[in-house]
Amino acid sequence: MQISKVDGKSPLFDFTPTKKDNISTWMYVLILLLSSIIITGIEAAILAIYDKT
């Protein structure tokens, strides 16, 4: 394994994300955030329906 003397990085682990990688990463983050909001909304709706005190 050759390591660069300039920045100490190995060319083996060099990663430049493609457009597909960027889109899939943002979709994952978006789904993660939206799912928590949707679950909170469903929980609030269920509590509003069944909490008749």
Side-chain angles (χ1 to χ4, degrees):
M1 177 168 62
Q2 292 194 355
I3 296 174
S4 170
K5 292 182 180 180
V6 177
D7 58 2
K9 292 184 178 179
S10 169
L12 205 69
F13 299 108
D14 192 24
F15 177 70
T16 51
T18 62
K19 188 174 185 176
K20 182 181 176 184
D21 293 329
N22 287 335
I23 291 173
S24 60
T25 302
W26 281 110
M27 288 302 292
Y28 176 76
V29 170
L30 189 66
I31 289 170
L32 201 66
L33 292 174
L34 287 179
S35 65
S36 64
I37 292 170
I38 290 171
I39 289 172
T40 305
I42 290 172
E43 182 182 4
I46 289 173
L47 287 175
I49 290 171
Y50 291 111
D51 189 21
K52 302 287 184 181
T53 56

